[in-house]
Structure formats: structure tokens, C-alpha cells
Amino acid sequence: MRTLVVLDAPSNLGLRPPAPGTVPGCYKLAGALREQRIVQRLGALEGGVVVPPRYDRGEWQPGDGVFNAAAIARYTRTLADRIEGHVRAGEFAVVLGGDCSIQLGAALALRRLGRYGLAAVDGSADFRHVGNSDHVGAAGGEELAIATGRGQADLSDLEGLRPYLQDEDVRLFGMRDGDEDQAELAALKIPNVTVGQLREWGAAELARAAVESLETPALDGYWVHLDADVLDPSVMPAVDSPDDGGLMPDELAPLLRTLVFSPRCVGLNVTIYDPDLDPDGTAGALLADLVVGALAPA
């Protein structure tokens, strides 16, 4: 039995405003999952909250780099401090976001400790960088590129530890079929599995193969990143980019449970679900059920 600890990371610094004068509502994710009694259902310890800086893009314009970069860098260090402490204590950290930029906190924490892998369950690769795009801006769509050393140094080289993740230590699951990043990922030999491939070959089988590859002696362990937009919008409409063709709950469940089951998995973060887009709480209840189903003792 491993000790689970639930930690809130309610940062929305990495997303664009959904409308002028508003801020992304994913900062409410942690509160919504707590309303689903996720801590009690997991039998987890209370890890508290890492409070993010104020969301303020100021006078940012396209071409200025990543917006909120200084705030994200500061938050990444603070979140990394907390995650590092839990991992050092042998606790399994369940980090409730937040947008996907919170994954940088986990990546930095684990880079401080050694060499760790990442299994990302996400509807997109979040691999935008200046090498494949006219400009960057929203770190929530760029965190994998930043974590693998692609991007401005004030985010990708914190504490002189660039890259936080080696390309060969990353595994991607749940990208939409025909994702535009597939060619680049293939050229870089970053393993990735689309929704169609998961259905063809089996989610649990592919996850087991990935886990075996991440349990190599070269790695000290690995982290799992879950973005709610991996689910199809018919069941998870409450995300900033609800693209058709996603996984269904009975496909995600065995994938996620297999990935987190290994004793070499040291933590999980959950991102992007926006309670503002889920007035009856149905999507939030589903997300909580999936996380609890993956982590609760068999």
C-alpha cells in the first residue's frame, strides 16, 4: 500500500483568456474534485494548496514569448519544492490543477532528484515551440516542449537543469488521429499513441508495454500527466479545446490504471477540466470517478 497525498495546484497561468476580461476557469478544478470527496475516496493525506500568482498578461502581444512567464517560473519552483518533498518521503503525489503548465513543477522536482520519465495522457502533445510555430504564448499548450528543453531559458532552464525530461523518456497517449505534431514526434523518436491506435491495439496492452519501457534501470521512476481533454467532448465538454474523436471513459480507465499501478510511478497530475463549463457537475464527477478508479486499491 502506498501513501497518497492530494495537493492542489490551481494555476491557470498557462491558458489564454476564454473571453476578454475573463480568466480561464480551470483554477477551480481542484475545488470541484474535492467536492466529489476525492481525498476521502482515495484514503489520501491532505497536502494543502500551492497558491498561484495573479493571472495578468499585462501588455503581452504575440511574439513576446510565453505570457505570464515570470509568474509561471516562480510557481514552477514553488510547486516543485512541494512535489519534491512528497517524492523524497516516498509518498505518491496526486496534484490537482490547474492548466497543463503545472506539469513543469513535477518535471523540475523530479529532475532535481535524478532522471525520470513521463507518461502523458493528453488529447494533444502540447509540443508547440518556436521551431514549429510562428510564435509561442500559452505555456499550457507548450509544456512538453519546455520540459524537453525547447523554449525560452527562463522556463526551460530553471536552476540550470535543462532539459527536465529526455525525449526518449516520454510516452504520449490519446492524441487525436491526424495530430499535426505526429511527424515531428516521430522524427524525434518520442513514442506516441493516437486514439485510433489505442482502439486497435488495446489501451491496457499499450500501457503495459510503456510501463515496461519506463521501468528500465536508467530511470529512477516516472510521472503520469492526465489532461481531461483526452476524453471525447460528448462526455467531457468542460475543457478549453473540446475536440471530437477523443477517448471514452471505458477506454481511458484501463489505460490510466495500468500507468499508475507500477511502483515506479511516483505521482499523477490532473489538468484542464473547467467547472465553469460544467454547470451540473457531471463531467467533474466523471473525472473524479476515473482518478479514484485508477488509484484506489484493487
Side-chain angles (χ1 to χ4, degrees):
M1 289 283 291
R2 55 188 171 187
T3 300
L4 307 181
V5 57
V6 173
L7 172 66
D8 294 4
S11 173
N12 59 0
L13 295 168
L15 290 186
R16 296 180 178 86
T22 67
V23 299
C26 63
Y27 73 93
K28 301 177 184 179
L29 180 157
L33 294 196
R34 283 177 176 272
E35 284 190 342
Q36 297 292 328
R37 301 186 69 253
I38 192 169
V39 179
Q40 295 88 342
R41 291 164 67 189
L42 288 173
L45 299 179
E46 176 56 67
V49 183
V50 181
V51 179
R54 181 190 300 273
Y55 186 101
D56 182 5
R57 299 202 307 170
E59 301 300 319
W60 179 88
Q61 296 292 326
D64 290 346
V66 175
F67 57 74
N68 290 327
I72 292 171
R74 187 162 69 251
Y75 191 68
T76 295
R77 291 189 185 95
T78 305
L79 181 56
D81 291 344
R82 294 283 288 277
I83 293 173
E84 180 184 356
H86 292 303
V87 175
R88 284 187 181 277
E91 297 166 339
F92 186 99
V94 182
V95 183
L96 306 178
D99 70 72
C100 292
S101 67
I102 69 161
Q103 201 281 316
L104 294 172
L108 177 62
L110 298 177
R111 177 67 180 85
R112 290 171 177 173
L113 296 172
R115 180 176 172 182
Y116 285 76
L118 173 70
V121 183
D122 197 325
S124 60
D126 292 348
F127 204 63
R128 183 173 57 243
H129 56 89
V130 293
N132 63 19
S133 180
D134 291 339
H135 63 82
V136 296
E142 299 157 9
E143 88 281 349
L144 182 58
I146 293 169
T148 54
R150 300 166 175 88
Q152 57 200 62
D154 58 347
L155 291 175
S156 65
D157 195 25
L158 294 172
E159 303 172 12
L161 293 176
R162 185 204 316 247
Y164 316 135
L165 295 166
Q166 301 286 341
D167 289 352
E168 61 266 33
D169 299 337
V170 175
R171 308 288 182 271
L172 301 176
F173 297 90
M175 294 163 53
R176 300 302 195 261
D177 296 325
D179 188 287
E180 62 183 12
D181 288 327
Q182 277 187 281
E184 183 179 10
L185 295 170
L188 294 168
K189 298 182 180 180
I190 296 177
N192 60 94
V193 182
T194 67
V195 170
Q197 291 168 330
L198 282 165
R199 288 174 176 158
E200 180 181 358
W201 297 328
E205 290 77 10
L206 287 169
R208 278 193 290 270
V211 168
E212 289 178 6
S213 73
L214 290 168
E215 290 178 332
T216 171
L219 293 178
D220 297 296
Y222 67 93
W223 184 269
V224 174
H225 164 75
L226 173 63
D227 183 331
D229 74 10
V230 76
L231 287 163
D232 191 82
S234 64
V235 294
M236 179 53 68
V239 297
D240 63 308
S241 298
D243 295 326
D244 291 336
L247 293 175
M248 300 305 291
D250 62 348
E251 296 169 322
L252 176 57
L255 172 66
L256 188 60
R257 184 165 182 82
T258 303
L259 290 174
V260 301
F261 185 77
S262 169
R264 301 291 297 280
C265 181
V266 299
L268 162 75
N269 62 253
V270 185
T271 63
I272 291 300
Y273 164 66
D274 184 343
D276 287 345
L277 304 176
D278 184 30
D280 66 0
T282 303
L286 170 63
L287 186 59
D289 287 348
L290 286 164
V291 174
V292 171
L295 290 171

